[in-house]
Amino acid sequence: MNFHYLKHKIYIMILLSIAILFIGYSCLQIETTFGFIVGILNLALGAITFSAAARFIILKSPILSINAEGIYDSRVMTSVIPWADIKDFELLKIKRTHFLKLDVSKSYSDFKWLYRKLSQKNLNKNPQVVLINLKNLNVDFENLKSALETQKSELVDG
């Protein structure tokens, strides 16, 4: 199973980035130092958000992949978590956000650099738990749950 970003969220992000670019351009028309600084900052922010959103529209590879090898989240992981290392999993809802919680048999540390730095405290607290954020992904939770249970039963039976 492969999961991608929700397209309408990306389109909203593009519209917001265009609005930020327009505000930045408008601020540059104000002939003050403050207007110039705000304008440049808005143009930079708008360009960054627009390029990120455009990348997600063009991106063909899935964000989250669950297959026979294991589970891989391209946003934060550098390698697949193999099924042999997954002891248990659970679908959680924390403050209106869905997560896939994986209990792994050994500490999983193959996270991308930025995620590792931002989540260092949580990773050190419990290195055998991996939380995968399912927010903004095109996920049918019933299908996901049944696929995970099928994979789990195959591991137990096999």
Side-chain angles (χ1 to χ4, degrees), residues 12-157:
I12 291 171
M13 189 173 165
I14 287 175
L15 288 174
L16 287 175
S17 65
I18 291 170
I20 292 170
L21 287 168
F22 180 73
I23 291 168
Y25 178 75
S26 298
C27 288
L28 285 176
Q29 304 306 309
I30 302 171
E31 296 180 4
T32 64
T33 305
F34 179 74
F36 179 77
I37 292 171
V38 171
I40 293 295
L41 291 175
N42 275 319
L43 288 175
L45 179 63
I48 291 168
T49 56
F50 185 82
S51 63
R55 180 180 154 253
F56 289 129
I57 283 188
I58 296 168
L59 188 68
K60 298 294 182 206
S61 62
I63 302 300
L64 178 65
S65 182
I66 301 172
N67 56 33
E69 288 181 48
I71 298 176
Y72 175 68
D73 184 345
S74 65
R75 298 171 293 187
V76 297
M77 297 177 181
T78 58
S79 67
V80 173
I81 300 175
W83 286 111
D85 291 347
I86 299 173
K87 292 190 298 188
D88 197 17
F89 46 82
E90 178 182 3
L91 286 172
L92 301 173
K93 189 173 183 181
I94 303 171
K95 295 182 182 177
R96 298 185 297 164
T97 301
H98 292 276
F99 290 92
L100 173 59
K101 177 185 171 191
L102 304 173
D103 294 319
V104 293
S105 58
K106 59 183 181 183
S107 296
Y108 180 80
S109 59
D110 292 343
F111 293 107
K112 292 183 178 177
W113 180 84
L114 183 60
Y115 180 79
R116 233 184 10 255
K117 291 297 178 192
L118 293 174
S119 304
Q120 195 67 46
K121 190 176 190 180
N122 291 335
L123 292 174
N124 289 338
K125 197 181 299 182
N126 196 349
Q128 293 184 317
V129 171
V130 176
L131 280 177
I132 298 174
N133 189 339
L134 301 175
K135 184 177 182 179
N136 296 331
L137 294 181
N138 190 11
V139 176
D140 179 359
F141 295 102
E142 290 305 315
N143 287 344
L144 176 61
K145 188 174 182 178
S146 65
L148 289 170
E149 288 171 355
T150 301
Q151 188 64 45
K152 183 178 181 180
S153 66
E154 288 176 11
L155 284 174
V156 171
D157 295 339

